[in-house]
Amino acid sequence: MRATDGESARPAGDAGLASVACPVLAVWRRCDPGEIAPGTVVEIERAVAGSGLLLHHRRWPDALRGDPAAVVAAAIDVIHGHPPGTPATDLVMSGLLVHAVRGDATAALVLAHGLAALAHRHPRSGELLERAERWARRWPRRLR
């Protein structure tokens, strides 16, 4: 599936999870890295910025100003403090996705971690774990 400007990026069978009101905030768990069109990334970024008051985290204002480290910090706290698939998780993971798609390797690695956490409680766990691996590959590794 390729999410583009005019598509919702919400396949059938993914009901029951958060982001019913804003399906673009679920792209992080529904699309692989190479499937996300630039226009969709802009749409996700707008949705995250428009939802800024929904996430009460001390680093979230910095995250909304574009600080990838702040998004990562908020995501780590949310992943460990909220069940996967909640609106807070979708919001912060969407923020990570924006930075990961634009080349931030740390955001991609934390996004992969969030997908793996969701996989443990999801009926399509294999699909989510494979997607997590594809995001994790964006982390630069050095062999010694």
Side-chain angles (χ1 to χ4, degrees), residues 10-113:
R10 182 188 173 127
D14 206 12
L17 291 174
S19 294
V20 173
C22 189
V24 75
L25 291 180
V27 168
W28 71 273
R29 55 184 150 85
R30 295 185 177 131
C31 298
D32 287 340
E35 297 176 334
I36 304 166
T40 301
V41 175
V42 171
E43 188 179 346
I44 293 167
E45 188 173 36
R46 285 184 191 141
V48 169
S51 301
L53 297 177
L54 295 177
L55 187 62
H56 301 288
H57 187 277
R58 63 183 174 78
R59 298 291 312 269
W60 196 241
D62 293 332
L64 291 176
R65 285 191 286 278
D67 182 355
V71 174
V72 167
I76 290 169
D77 288 345
V78 169
I79 289 168
H80 293 284
H82 293 80
T86 63
T89 304
D90 277 349
L91 184 61
V92 75
M93 297 302 285
S94 295
L96 281 174
L97 180 137
V98 169
H99 290 285
V101 166
R102 292 181 177 159
D104 189 286
T106 304
L109 186 63
V110 176
L111 180 60
H113 174 72

